[in-house]
Amino acid sequence: MNTARVEAFADGVFAIAATLLILNVDTQIADDVPDLGEKLLHIWPSYLAYAVSFVTIGIMWVNHHTVMSQLEKVDRRFLVATVGLLMCIAFVPFPTRLVAENIRGDNAEPAALAYGFTMVATAIMFNITWFYASRGKRLLRTDADPAVVSGLSRSYLPGPWIYLAATLIAFASPVASVVCFLTIALFYVVESSIFGSNDPAA
Amino acid sequence: MNTARVEAFADGVFAIAATLLILNVDTQIADDVPDLGEKLLHIWPSYLAYAVSFVTIGIMWVNHHTVMSQLEKVDRRFLVATVGLLMCIAFVPFPTRLVAENIRGDNAEPAALAYGFTMVATAIMFNITWFYASRGKRLLRTDADPAVVSGLSRSYLPGPWIYLAATLIAFASPVASVVCFLTIALFYVVESSIFGSNDPAA
Amino acid sequence: MNTARVEAFADGVFAIAATLLILNVDTQIADDVPDLGEKLLHIWPSYLAYAVSFVTIGIMWVNHHTVMSQLEKVDRRFLVATVGLLMCIAFVPFPTRLVAENIRGDNAEPAALAYGFTMVATAIMFNITWFYASRGKRLLRTDADPAVVSGLSRSYLPGPWIYLAATLIAFASPVASVVCFLTIALFYVVESSIFGSNDPAA
Amino acid sequence: MNTARVEAFADGVFAIAATLLILNVDTQIADDVPDLGEKLLHIWPSYLAYAVSFVTIGIMWVNHHTVMSQLEKVDRRFLVATVGLLMCIAFVPFPTRLVAENIRGDNAEPAALAYGFTMVATAIMFNITWFYASRGKRLLRTDADPAVVSGLSRSYLPGPWIYLAATLIAFASPVASVVCFLTIALFYVVESSIFGSNDPAA
């Protein structure tokens, strides 16, 4: 199988997972709401959660293509790892909803933990996928850009630890933990806005 | 990343957002309706809302490809802007349902406002995406068609203002506001039906 | 825009509309069913409706690609017609559910009518799309196969009338009407099984 | 129609069916759960069912591309068989939910049977699709790899029987049956992890 077919399937999962996020907002509004205006303002965490998860999945999609652009070919092990990675990404809408609905109540801690551990698992799968492909240049293109390759390795390695730290904060303060997730997403957007115009990996 | 991959992901989000609109109609019919025929006629705003939003997303899809057809390449900033644009488009099914369910009741105003501000945000993101790409010919193809480029710039700039005006009408009359949204969608269909056969941008 | 991009968007809508059909089956089973085995047998119309609509959408997908394979280019009018066609196809899961849930009860007639009129509208949009493209060879490839072109014209023209006839039968007998829809879908499968191996349009 | 278009549609159905699986987990959590943490631990079968079905659909996606990579062309019969195959795959989320929700209760047997028979039907459709294409080299590429072709034939033939055996075990013990489904999915992952790096079919 060539890399184009893997990208097509992955693009589908990324696009669907991101688009399904709106269902989380949708279920917040019952059929007969007495005061819709007030309700629409009240569920602001759902909009924020929608935006954060959409941007996070969008950034992961950009990263996934950066990885694929450096590969010459794929083998079955890589495909199995990719399925595992996509399984994590397709899971994201579920904890997103949990956080949106519970961050202001008594269940904020388990909601933040569910979101955080999903992100940790996703970051681990990104590392497995990338290092399986790049270790010993196993699947890399012969003309793979060394700067991009080492840049990816450098940026992926701390991912699970950063998300784990943000997750564990939930035991002390779920709100602080969620602010960290928000900050991580914002960081990628801001970083891309500042450095993105001459990024060779894009 | 080349433009083809961006189009593949965007096509996915456009197609899913449009297809999910049917779920809004679907939830209008409970499992046990005494008189289904009467109910199916009663929910006509849901069909209209389905059609208007489907056509609106369809027109946006056509526009997005017109933009992409003029680009030589993309960079990370453009990708981040695209993720923001798709985030707005994937949001459309939610306010569509609000309008369909509430336009005949006491909550018509907030429903129309929610739809309108979503459209304003989408139009703004279209402008950001396009002007980032075209300002100083940053990402344009060397053989980009000047007529198409200036045509896009001319047609995108008033978009947010037109939708903002239609939205603000909701404070006076939500129904009038929704009629404006309907008219804007119809305008694009009629305009394409009259002028569309020799449009170089298609 | 070239034909490949239209196909990518259309493929997305076809694939999503078909895959969403399973949600109709899913909602038939509540969270706490006393006797799941009995219930799973009882909802057999849902499986049949799933199969008929999935096959119908699948056949439409095959037909749509036969059309696209004969086109050299597309223009904006054709794109607007395609959006209208896809709007009908994405609508199919809704009346499918209505038929599945109501064919055995008092609401069988409006359910069958809803399904039938959706099919009539879809068949009309197929005709509009095809005859706009083929009239005067407007969008056809210079090497378009005359046999395929006239075959498409011949097979599309009676479509709306056949579905209209099957729909109107619902006023006399909704079950007979649904059996007609089933027979039309079966006809295409059997026809393809017998004649399909040397079909130049495939 | 060339093989690329079939793959695009199939990729869509595979990606959507896999991504919709998360909705099964989502519906397990009502809007107001007293103790979310306990509930999230209690629904562990839903996570397991999500993972097993996601991996199963992922493996089927890999297999489908292995099949397509050996084909020169497709005809209408093959397309009809493919629609039938995709109809089975898009069905998978439904029995997955049944198993996840009922494996610990009185309805475990019908749930396991529903899952099993869906898998049997899917395996049968894989055989029909493959043997229609490969019998007498009907649709094979002239340079199709004989090792891959005979490998596919060898690995597909026992599929329906293995799943049928695992399904029938449900009459004695639904849990044992589900453990078999889990083992089959795990087998493919482990097999790919051990032998996958030099697999010519990937």
Side-chain angles (χ1 to χ4, degrees):
Chain A
M1 194 185 298
N2 60 26
T3 59
R5 297 250 55 87
V6 181
E7 290 184 296
F9 182 68
D11 278 356
V13 173
F14 278 107
I16 301 156
T19 315
L20 283 183
L21 289 166
I22 195 59
L23 298 185
N24 290 334
V25 182
D26 203 62
T27 54
Q28 287 284 72
I29 306 288
D31 271 357
D32 45 352
V33 176
D35 186 341
L36 182 64
E38 190 193 55
K39 182 73 179 174
L40 285 177
L41 296 178
H42 181 73
I43 63 166
W44 63 264
S46 286
Y47 310 134
L48 193 60
Y50 171 82
V52 170
S53 284
F54 201 103
V55 168
T56 303
I57 291 176
I59 299 287
M60 287 173 181
W61 165 68
V62 175
N63 281 338
H64 187 256
H65 277 297
T66 309
V67 167
M68 296 308 293
S69 70
Q70 302 302 314
L71 303 191
E72 177 69 39
K73 56 179 179 183
V74 298
D75 60 17
R76 277 183 75 111
R77 283 186 197 166
F78 182 82
L79 289 178
V80 169
T82 299
V83 169
L85 172 62
L86 296 175
M87 188 169 80
C88 291
I89 287 157
F91 199 81
V92 168
F94 173 60
T96 299
R97 174 196 152 210
L98 295 180
V99 167
E101 294 186 6
N102 294 290
I103 191 63
R104 288 177 297 190
D106 294 339
N107 286 316
E109 187 184 302
L113 290 174
Y115 191 90
F117 284 124
T118 302
M119 288 299 157
V120 172
T122 308
I124 290 174
M125 287 311 303
F126 254 115
N127 273 282
I128 289 175
T129 308
W130 170 244
F131 285 105
Y132 175 73
S134 64
R135 187 62 53 88
K137 309 197 173 191
R138 190 184 278 121
L139 305 173
L140 294 186
R141 296 165 58 179
T142 47
D143 62 342
D145 185 331
V148 174
V149 169
S150 66
L152 279 169
S153 297
R154 244 194 341 266
S155 72
Y156 277 11
L157 269 179
W161 304 104
I162 291 171
Y163 270 116
L164 183 62
T167 304
L168 294 178
I169 290 171
F171 287 111
S173 162
V175 171
S177 175
V178 168
V179 169
C180 287
F181 300 139
L182 186 97
T183 310
I184 297 172
L186 260 181
F187 168 78
Y188 282 114
V189 174
V190 172
E191 187 226 14
S192 294
S193 304
I194 297 175
F195 304 108
S197 67
N198 55 1
D199 186 332
Chain B
M1 194 185 296
N2 59 26
T3 59
R5 297 251 54 86
V6 181
E7 291 185 296
F9 182 67
D11 278 355
V13 173
F14 279 107
I16 300 156
T19 314
L20 282 183
L21 289 167
I22 195 60
L23 298 185
N24 290 336
V25 182
D26 204 62
T27 54
Q28 287 285 72
I29 306 288
D31 271 358
D32 45 353
V33 177
D35 186 341
L36 182 64
E38 191 192 54
K39 182 74 180 172
L40 285 177
L41 296 177
H42 182 72
I43 63 167
W44 63 265
S46 287
Y47 309 134
L48 194 59
Y50 171 81
V52 170
S53 284
F54 201 102
V55 168
T56 303
I57 291 177
I59 299 286
M60 288 174 180
W61 165 68
V62 175
N63 282 337
H64 187 256
H65 277 297
T66 308
V67 168
M68 297 306 294
S69 69
Q70 302 302 314
L71 303 190
E72 176 70 38
K73 55 179 179 184
V74 298
D75 62 16
R76 276 183 73 112
R77 283 186 196 166
F78 182 83
L79 289 179
V80 169
T82 299
V83 169
L85 171 62
L86 295 175
M87 189 169 80
C88 292
I89 286 157
F91 199 81
V92 168
F94 173 59
T96 298
R97 174 198 153 209
L98 295 179
V99 167
E101 293 185 6
N102 294 290
I103 191 64
R104 288 178 297 190
D106 293 340
N107 287 316
E109 187 184 303
L113 290 174
Y115 190 90
F117 284 125
T118 303
M119 288 299 156
V120 172
T122 308
I124 290 174
M125 288 310 303
F126 255 114
N127 273 283
I128 290 175
T129 308
W130 170 244
F131 285 105
Y132 175 74
S134 63
R135 187 63 54 88
K137 308 198 173 190
R138 192 184 274 121
L139 304 174
L140 293 186
R141 298 165 56 179
T142 48
D143 62 342
D145 185 332
V148 175
V149 168
S150 67
L152 280 169
S153 298
R154 245 195 339 265
S155 73
Y156 277 11
L157 268 179
W161 304 104
I162 291 171
Y163 269 116
L164 183 62
T167 304
L168 295 178
I169 289 171
F171 286 111
S173 163
V175 172
S177 175
V178 168
V179 169
C180 287
F181 299 140
L182 186 96
T183 309
I184 297 172
L186 261 181
F187 168 78
Y188 282 116
V189 173
V190 172
E191 187 226 13
S192 295
S193 303
I194 297 175
F195 304 108
S197 66
N198 54 1
D199 185 333
Chain C
M1 192 185 296
N2 58 28
T3 58
R5 298 251 55 86
V6 181
E7 291 185 296
F9 182 67
D11 279 355
V13 173
F14 279 107
I16 300 155
T19 315
L20 283 184
L21 289 167
I22 195 61
L23 298 184
N24 290 336
V25 182
D26 204 62
T27 53
Q28 287 284 72
I29 306 288
D31 271 357
D32 45 353
V33 176
D35 185 340
L36 181 65
E38 191 193 53
K39 182 75 179 169
L40 286 176
L41 296 178
H42 182 72
I43 63 168
W44 64 264
S46 287
Y47 310 134
L48 193 58
Y50 172 81
V52 170
S53 284
F54 201 103
V55 167
T56 303
I57 291 177
I59 298 287
M60 287 173 181
W61 165 69
V62 175
N63 281 337
H64 188 257
H65 277 298
T66 308
V67 168
M68 297 306 293
S69 70
Q70 302 301 313
L71 304 189
E72 177 69 40
K73 56 180 179 183
V74 297
D75 61 17
R76 276 183 75 112
R77 283 187 198 166
F78 182 83
L79 290 178
V80 170
T82 299
V83 168
L85 171 62
L86 296 175
M87 188 169 80
C88 292
I89 287 158
F91 199 81
V92 168
F94 174 59
T96 298
R97 173 197 153 211
L98 296 180
V99 167
E101 293 185 7
N102 294 290
I103 191 64
R104 288 177 298 191
D106 294 338
N107 287 316
E109 187 184 303
L113 290 174
Y115 191 90
F117 284 124
T118 303
M119 287 301 156
V120 172
T122 308
I124 290 173
M125 288 309 303
F126 255 115
N127 273 282
I128 290 176
T129 309
W130 170 243
F131 285 104
Y132 175 73
S134 64
R135 188 61 54 89
K137 308 198 172 191
R138 192 184 276 119
L139 304 174
L140 294 186
R141 298 165 56 180
T142 48
D143 61 343
D145 184 332
V148 174
V149 169
S150 66
L152 280 169
S153 297
R154 247 198 334 268
S155 72
Y156 277 11
L157 269 180
W161 304 105
I162 291 171
Y163 270 117
L164 183 62
T167 304
L168 295 179
I169 289 172
F171 287 110
S173 163
V175 171
S177 176
V178 168
V179 169
C180 287
F181 299 140
L182 186 96
T183 309
I184 297 172
L186 261 181
F187 168 78
Y188 282 115
V189 173
V190 171
E191 186 226 13
S192 295
S193 303
I194 296 176
F195 304 107
S197 66
N198 53 1
D199 185 335
Chain D
M1 191 185 300
N2 59 26
T3 59
R5 297 251 55 86
V6 181
E7 291 184 297
F9 182 68
D11 279 356
V13 173
F14 279 107
I16 300 156
T19 316
L20 283 183
L21 289 167
I22 195 61
L23 298 185
N24 290 335
V25 182
D26 204 61
T27 54
Q28 287 284 72
I29 306 288
D31 271 357
D32 45 351
V33 176
D35 186 341
L36 181 65
E38 190 194 54
K39 181 74 179 173
L40 285 177
L41 296 178
H42 181 72
I43 62 167
W44 63 264
S46 287
Y47 309 134
L48 193 60
Y50 171 81
V52 170
S53 284
F54 201 103
V55 167
T56 303
I57 291 176
I59 299 287
M60 286 173 183
W61 165 69
V62 175
N63 281 337
H64 188 256
H65 277 298
T66 308
V67 167
M68 297 307 293
S69 71
Q70 302 302 313
L71 303 190
E72 177 69 39
K73 55 180 180 184
V74 297
D75 61 16
R76 276 182 75 112
R77 284 187 197 165
F78 182 83
L79 289 179
V80 170
T82 300
V83 168
L85 171 62
L86 295 174
M87 188 169 80
C88 292
I89 287 157
F91 199 81
V92 168
F94 173 59
T96 298
R97 174 198 153 210
L98 296 180
V99 167
E101 293 185 8
N102 294 290
I103 191 64
R104 287 177 297 190
D106 294 339
N107 287 317
E109 187 185 302
L113 290 174
Y115 191 90
F117 283 124
T118 303
M119 287 300 158
V120 172
T122 308
I124 289 174
M125 289 309 304
F126 254 116
N127 274 283
I128 290 175
T129 309
W130 170 243
F131 285 105
Y132 175 74
S134 63
R135 187 62 53 88
K137 308 198 172 189
R138 189 182 280 122
L139 304 173
L140 293 186
R141 299 165 55 180
T142 48
D143 62 342
D145 186 329
V148 174
V149 169
S150 66
L152 280 170
S153 297
R154 247 197 334 268
S155 72
Y156 277 10
L157 269 179
W161 305 104
I162 291 171
Y163 269 116
L164 183 62
T167 304
L168 295 179
I169 289 171
F171 287 111
S173 163
V175 172
S177 175
V178 169
V179 169
C180 286
F181 300 138
L182 186 98
T183 309
I184 296 172
L186 260 181
F187 169 78
Y188 282 114
V189 174
V190 171
E191 185 226 14
S192 295
S193 303
I194 297 176
F195 304 108
S197 67
N198 53 2
D199 185 333

